[in-house]
Amino acid sequence: MKVLKFGGTSVGSPERMKKLLDIINPSERQIVVLSAVSGTTNSLVEISQAYLASDKAKAKELVKALKDKYEVFIKELFQKDEFLGKGKEVIDSHFDLLDAFSHDLFTAIEEKVVLAQGELLSTTLYHIYLEEIGVPSVLLPALEFMKIDEDNEPIVDFITEKLTPLLDENPSINLFITQGYICRNSFGEIDNLRRGGSDYTASLIGAGIRSEEVQIWTDIDGMHNNDPRIVKGTKPIARLSFDEAAELAYFGAKILHPQSVFPAQRYKIPVRLLNTMEPKAFGTLISSESEKGKIKSIAAKDGITAIKIQSSRMLLAYGFLRRVFEVFERYKTPIDMITTSEVAVSVTIDETKYLGEITKELSDFGTVEVDVNQSIICIVGDMGADTHGFASRVFESLKHIPLRMISYGGSNYNISLLVKTEDKVEALRSLHNRLFE
């Protein structure tokens, strides 16, 4: 059984929603994971913000505007009055719920309910469309099998336990539709997966049912060897290992969230990144196998802040790094890169909410320097200890660009460099010309 995930642009219009059947083969048994129609989640965020600000008039106005869009959407999606009526009932039900929040106290709990409506709408409308054209399908409620624990981590065994019977109840049906992104938390409340959203859902379902393959369909033909928005002549990467894909996703390749790789990696389920606009393109296959001795791709991550703590007391000081890391742990701020010397340690972060508090505490250890507007450049490939020459090629191509930090050897799959964001474009282009041309 395969798991196919389609993002917001793939269901962004009635025409695109209808064309999904050019890709989905109803004769093959598969689970189809859908995101919300493109633009819907942003609108729901605005509605939530209005309710949280107690601006009920604005919230009602935003709800009406979004409902009007869906009224137009279903008129283009359905041809028969019977199914148009069903679509209208679905829309009325969901938007009545959104309107009803104007009468109640609105908290973060209600906000999660609002944000879930996009996926619930897209999947239900698509299920009705399939019914209209005579394609048998079952709508699987993700809220019945997708659950996170107290630490907001998904429970794969729970997915297996709850989802398997739902599939077994319908042995003659090949097509199952479900929602990405949404889940229930440990309290049973509606919540969401946040990191990776619908991609994460697809990977978790694939792990839960031990599927033969997970396919992530977007509007790009796989993961490219550089950022195509910045660098000309980029090419899709045919094959990546799970580790390489995770590194690229973490350090800036927007097509896939790194969290989405891990469930598939654990259960050795291949993941394909494919293009809905060009379905016959090979895309990118992510699996346990890797091409040895080859640089695969370059990615960049913006919005990075570098922090250097310099202290003569650091030299041979037992527990110094532990105490430094405990500061970041207290403020729940992840570290991206780290480099050390005998008298200093430099780290990078991309979450600066508690930067003031962190630097204040770190100043107890020594002198603290903060550099903002930095970017991490990540070169990914087979960088094992038995390979040679890659590092020299990387540094030769960047000899004209100041490097703030270098991380090499923390992983067998990447070299990470920190540069000023103003130098990022030149760095990406120069690396591309040296490594791939």
Side-chain angles (χ1 to χ4, degrees):
M1 192 169 195
K2 293 180 181 178
V3 179
L4 282 66
K5 175 263 175 177
F6 295 94
T9 54
S10 299
V11 293
S13 68
E15 182 185 6
R16 287 189 175 179
M17 193 174 270
K18 291 176 181 179
K19 285 189 173 181
L20 291 186
L21 280 179
D22 292 345
I23 295 168
I24 299 167
N25 183 354
S27 65
E28 293 182 359
R29 201 162 163 84
Q30 54 205 302
I31 296 176
V32 176
V33 179
L34 298 184
S35 298
V37 171
S38 57
T40 298
T41 301
N42 289 340
S43 297
L44 293 172
V45 168
E46 288 182 44
I47 291 167
S48 297
Q49 289 172 342
Y51 277 132
L52 286 168
S54 298
D55 192 344
K56 295 179 180 179
K58 182 179 180 182
K60 287 183 77 68
E61 182 182 313
L62 291 168
V63 169
K64 183 182 182 305
L66 185 58
K67 184 179 182 181
D68 289 344
K69 289 181 181 178
Y70 273 90
E71 297 274 12
V72 174
F73 191 97
I74 61 171
K75 286 177 182 175
E76 295 179 19
L77 182 63
F78 302 114
Q79 303 300 313
K80 301 174 183 176
D81 289 344
E82 175 191 351
F83 295 97
L84 180 60
K86 288 185 178 183
K88 183 74 166 64
E89 287 177 14
V90 169
I91 289 174
D92 288 344
S93 172
H94 286 278
F95 283 93
D96 285 349
L97 174 65
L98 293 176
D99 261 331
F101 286 115
S102 62
H103 306 301
D104 300 315
L105 180 67
F106 195 87
T107 69
I109 294 173
E110 286 74 29
E111 181 181 15
K112 300 284 179 59
V113 177
V114 169
L115 295 180
Q117 301 310 303
E119 281 71 19
L120 293 169
L121 276 165
S122 63
T123 50
T124 308
L125 292 175
Y126 189 59
H127 174 61
I128 295 171
Y129 168 71
L130 291 175
E131 185 185 356
E132 181 184 51
I133 62 173
V135 175
S137 68
V138 172
L139 186 61
L140 298 173
L143 297 176
E144 290 186 12
F145 61 83
M146 192 64 63
K147 187 177 181 181
I148 53 177
D149 61 20
E150 298 84 355
D151 298 318
N152 295 324
E153 292 300 326
I155 310 170
V156 174
D157 289 344
F158 184 87
I159 296 168
T160 304
E161 176 192 345
K162 298 296 183 181
L163 182 54
T164 304
L166 295 175
L167 299 174
D168 292 344
E169 286 169 12
N170 298 278
S172 62
I173 301 294
N174 286 335
L175 206 52
F176 297 85
I177 315 297
T178 194
Q179 302 84 27
Y181 179 63
I182 66 175
C183 63
R184 289 197 185 274
N185 59 28
S186 57
F187 300 106
E189 301 160 342
I190 293 177
D191 211 319
N192 57 65
L193 295 172
R194 289 175 291 278
R195 303 159 302 179
S198 298
D199 291 353
Y200 203 10
T201 299
S203 184
L204 287 165
I205 290 174
I209 65 168
R210 312 297 192 267
S211 70
E212 63 181 278
E213 184 175 280
V214 172
Q215 298 180 357
I216 308 294
W217 290 85
T218 68
D219 53 359
I220 303 171
D221 54 343
M223 202 175 280
H224 278 231
N225 61 359
N226 209 326
D227 189 336
R229 298 167 300 178
I230 294 173
V231 179
K232 293 180 180 178
T234 66
K235 297 176 181 177
I237 312 158
R239 289 176 174 81
L240 286 171
S241 70
F242 286 117
D243 289 316
E244 291 167 340
E247 296 276 12
L248 281 171
Y250 185 79
F251 285 108
K254 302 297 184 185
I255 189 173
L256 185 69
H257 194 282
Q259 206 73 21
S260 306
V261 176
F262 302 137
Q265 181 175 21
R266 180 179 175 186
Y267 295 96
K268 294 182 171 54
I269 297 162
V271 177
R272 286 189 187 272
L273 308 180
L274 297 160
N275 185 357
T276 50
M277 310 303 169
E278 199 177 335
K280 291 186 179 179
F282 183 83
T284 300
L285 174 63
I286 303 169
S287 68
S288 302
E289 299 177 2
S290 174
E291 295 178 82
K292 299 296 182 183
K294 185 177 179 181
I295 291 178
K296 302 293 181 61
S297 185
I298 306 161
K301 185 177 182 180
D302 295 333
I304 302 297
T305 296
I307 304 171
K308 181 167 79 171
I309 309 102
Q310 188 160 346
S311 171
S312 57
R313 289 178 292 159
M314 182 180 172
L315 182 62
L316 302 179
Y318 178 79
F320 181 87
L321 283 177
R322 173 181 56 79
R323 295 196 298 275
V324 168
F325 291 147
E326 282 175 347
V327 173
F328 293 91
E329 183 180 359
R330 277 196 293 278
Y331 292 101
K332 296 184 177 179
T333 302
I335 292 171
D336 288 318
M337 284 176 66
I338 174 170
T339 59
T340 64
S341 73
E342 290 182 339
V343 295
V345 55
S346 288
V347 301
T348 68
I349 60 174
D350 62 0
E351 173 55 71
T352 57
K353 183 178 180 181
Y354 298 109
L355 180 60
E357 292 88 340
I358 289 170
T359 52
K360 184 178 179 181
E361 289 199 31
L362 290 176
S363 64
D364 292 339
F365 302 129
T367 304
V368 178
E369 295 178 16
V370 177
D371 291 324
V372 298
N373 299 323
Q374 306 287 302
S375 294
I376 292 175
I377 306 287
C378 179
I379 300 95
V380 168
D382 176 31
M383 306 283 183
D386 55 346
T387 61
H388 58 85
F390 290 149
S392 62
R393 289 166 62 193
V394 167
F395 297 130
E396 175 67 22
S397 64
L398 297 177
K399 62 185 179 182
H400 59 301
I401 294 174
L403 303 180
R404 171 67 174 76
M405 287 173 64
I406 301 169
S407 177
Y408 182 38
S411 157
N412 287 335
Y413 304 99
N414 91 47
I415 300 173
S416 295
L417 313 164
L418 188 70
V419 301
K420 293 178 182 177
T421 298
E422 63 191 56
D423 293 327
K424 181 192 76 170
V425 171
E426 174 59 26
L428 289 177
R429 290 173 177 168
S430 184
L431 282 165
H432 193 85
N433 292 337
R434 183 71 177 86
L435 300 178
F436 298 126
E437 295 298 325

